[in-house]
Amino acid sequence: AARAAGMAAAAGGVGPDVHQDLARDIGQQVEAMILKAKQHSESQVGREIQKVKVMMDKMGEKIKLITDRLSKLEPDSQAPLKADLLRSISKLEEVWENEVGTLKHELWQTIQAHNHNADLLKHHKDAIDQVQSSITDTGPNPELEQVHLQLMQVDKAMRREQDKEQHMDHLVQRLTAVQQQLLGPVGPWA
């Protein structure tokens, strides 16, 4: 963006070809930045979803193992322990369902953010195309003002992308906390 601003300042009396080059360079930089941020977010979410899936599978195996062990206990000798274990498993399943619901909601929010990123990319491309066509149609002075406005819009969009990255980091932290909760000991028999 600094390079583009410097080019815009130096282009005060230069012809429309330089302005078209400037607009094209800005457009390419914006597209590259947004695409990179989108790919980073998508790959990060994909990795976290895979981790959660693995943890869910491990937790399901642990629950099955505990249930199998409970079914093998003799009814009279371990009745109080079995009742405690069944209550603990019931509580664990309830917590599990709540956490999965929360994760689904957060995943939905992430998908919405990705959709918003795609909309932003389209908006930026349209704005850049508009700047390029207006550079061709008008004199150099109004073009510089439009380029400046576009640079301000790009800066604003990048700040929004940074906010979304922070949201993704929060989601990753939340998934890590859930993972630690799920892998922690399950009652006194762990």
Side-chain angles (χ1 to χ4, degrees):
R3 182 179 134 216
M7 289 174 61
V14 182
D17 288 339
V18 171
H19 296 289
Q20 287 176 339
D21 292 343
L22 176 64
R24 186 188 66 244
D25 289 346
I26 290 171
Q28 289 172 349
Q29 289 176 8
V30 168
E31 284 185 45
M33 288 187 293
I34 291 174
L35 186 59
K36 183 178 177 183
K38 179 183 175 190
Q39 289 171 341
H40 173 73
S41 294
E42 287 174 349
S43 66
Q44 187 176 10
V45 167
R47 287 190 304 268
E48 291 305 315
I49 288 173
Q50 188 61 31
K51 285 181 187 177
V52 168
K53 184 177 184 257
V54 168
M55 291 300 117
M56 289 173 69
D57 291 343
K58 286 181 181 179
M59 191 61 157
E61 290 171 11
K62 285 183 180 182
I63 290 173
K64 185 180 183 309
L65 180 64
I66 290 171
T67 304
D68 289 346
R69 286 183 182 174
L70 281 176
S71 66
K72 293 178 183 176
L73 289 177
E74 293 181 24
D76 294 332
S77 66
Q78 301 289 335
L81 177 61
K82 186 173 182 176
D84 288 341
L85 287 174
L86 290 174
R87 277 194 300 277
S88 293
I89 288 174
S90 176
K91 288 179 185 177
L92 177 65
E93 287 175 342
E94 182 179 323
V95 168
W96 178 260
E97 289 173 11
N98 288 338
E99 291 296 330
V100 167
T102 301
L103 288 173
K104 284 181 180 179
H105 179 71
E106 289 175 354
L107 181 60
W108 176 81
Q109 288 176 329
T110 302
I111 290 169
Q112 294 299 321
H114 284 296
N115 290 342
H116 180 71
N117 287 346
D119 291 342
L120 275 178
L121 184 60
K122 184 183 182 315
H123 171 72
H124 285 283
K125 184 164 178 39
D126 292 345
I128 289 166
D129 290 343
Q130 181 183 5
V131 167
Q132 286 177 333
S133 69
S134 68
I135 286 174
T136 306
D137 296 342
T138 62
N141 288 336
E143 296 167 14
L144 289 177
E145 290 178 16
Q146 287 181 341
V147 167
H148 180 69
L149 288 174
Q150 291 298 320
L151 286 172
M152 289 175 26
Q153 287 178 348
V154 167
D155 185 53
K156 186 177 178 181
M158 292 310 297
R159 277 190 241 127
R160 278 188 247 143
E161 288 299 319
Q162 288 172 343
D163 290 343
K164 287 178 187 166
E165 281 296 319
Q166 288 175 348
H167 181 265
M168 291 298 300
D169 290 341
H170 175 71
L171 175 63
V172 169
Q173 290 172 355
R174 177 83 172 123
L175 289 172
T176 302
V178 168
Q179 176 184 5
Q180 290 172 353
Q181 284 178 344
L182 294 176
L183 291 179
V186 183
W189 55 88

